[in-house]
Amino acid sequence: MAAEQPGDRLLTPHRPAPQDLAAYFHTGGTIGVPKVAPHTHAMEVYMAWALGCTGAYLDDAVGLWGLPLFHVDAVHVTGLAPFLHGRPVVSLGPLGYRDKTLMAEFWQIIEHFKVTGFSGVPTAYANLPPVPPDVDISSLRAGAVSAAPLPKTVCTAFESSTRVPMLEGYGLTEATCATATNPAFAPPAKGRSGSGCPTSTSKPSPSTPTGSRLGTACQGRPGSWPSRDPVSSPATCGPVPTGPPPTRRARSSTAGC
């Protein structure tokens, strides 16, 4: 099929509009209740462009994909974003970071493919093997982490062994992927999620849970983190599995399908 397509465009009779639904993602991390978050084509194209503004996909950048494809980080940070910016991505295979045999040679993979950056969750970083003294990982520029608060010990261990910064970000499935992140080549701000994505109006309000990373931005006061930007989901379908199946009508609803 690929051989039948030109290199600069896709030949297809279907031309989706920006607000047409592109994907459904199962999620429950935000409020602890299983649900489905729909993404439009506009949301996903914007996110791919906005992630490029971090500088992560410039020049000879080479990405690494290890998270499962049901995770928005895998689809966007190590998928659509580098593809939009014309950069290659090395796949760790179906099991990704959970492949123990492959992970035993993780740093050799970084060396062989000259990977410049990869993204993962805190547990993935906590389970990385030690960097062998005879492996050259000088191509590596940074590691990116999100999805859960990053333990200081994990961050310190990674940065001391690789001698590259750990970039912390904040995002959620209902906002496509990333809402705020540290720039790829700027000094990381410890304990903070960096600046908002372009055109994002995200900022903490006084109900963010005390002690969370968002609470740090709010000086420890309880609060929330409202977000209004091109990546905000038009609806949340669910809760799942008791809710009705997602449909295109989800675009006109904010209370569920």
Side-chain angles (χ1 to χ4, degrees), residues 19-113:
Q19 296 308 312
D20 284 347
L21 295 181
Y24 293 106
F25 282 91
H26 291 269
T27 180
T30 309
I31 59 175
V33 177
K35 57 188 178 299
V36 173
H39 288 183
T40 66
H41 286 276
M43 291 165 60
E44 298 205 338
V45 170
Y46 167 83
M47 179 53 59
W49 170 81
L51 286 169
C53 294
T54 66
Y57 312 109
L58 298 176
D59 305 323
D60 57 348
V62 177
L64 184 77
W65 161 48
L67 291 172
L69 281 176
F70 59 75
H71 197 291
V72 289
D73 186 296
V75 172
H76 296 283
V77 178
T78 53
L80 295 180
F83 297 157
L84 176 68
H85 295 277
R87 303 314 310 154
V89 177
V90 178
S91 171
L92 292 182
L95 294 179
Y97 293 125
R98 298 179 183 178
D99 189 329
K100 295 182 179 180
T101 302
L102 181 147
M103 289 304 292
E105 299 184 346
F106 180 81
W107 298 112
Q108 287 84 348
I109 294 173
I110 298 294
E111 177 187 39
H112 179 78
F113 291 101

Side-chain angles (χ1 to χ4, degrees), residues 150 168 182 188-194 212-214 216-217:
L150 176 67
E168 297 182 66
N182 286 320
K190 300 303 180 187
R192 299 178 60 187
S193 297
S212 70
R213 291 198 174 275
L214 301 187
T216 302

Side-chain angles (χ1 to χ4, degrees), residues 1 8 11 25 44 48 54 62 86 97 106 108 115-116 123 129 133 146 172 207 214-215 236 240 253:
M1 293 177 63
D8 60 345
L11 298 180
F25 282 91
E44 298 205 338
T54 66
V62 177
Y97 293 125
F106 180 81
Q108 287 84 348
V115 173
T116 58
T123 52
S146 60
L172 59 163
S207 61
L214 301 187
T236 297
V240 176
S253 171

Side-chain angles (χ1 to χ4, degrees), residues 149-173:
L150 176 67
K152 184 178 180 180
T153 54
V154 175
C155 180
T156 300
F158 175 82
E159 293 187 336
S160 62
S161 62
T162 62
R163 301 190 182 280
V164 298
M166 177 78 84
L167 309 180
E168 297 182 66
Y170 169 75
L172 59 163
T173 306

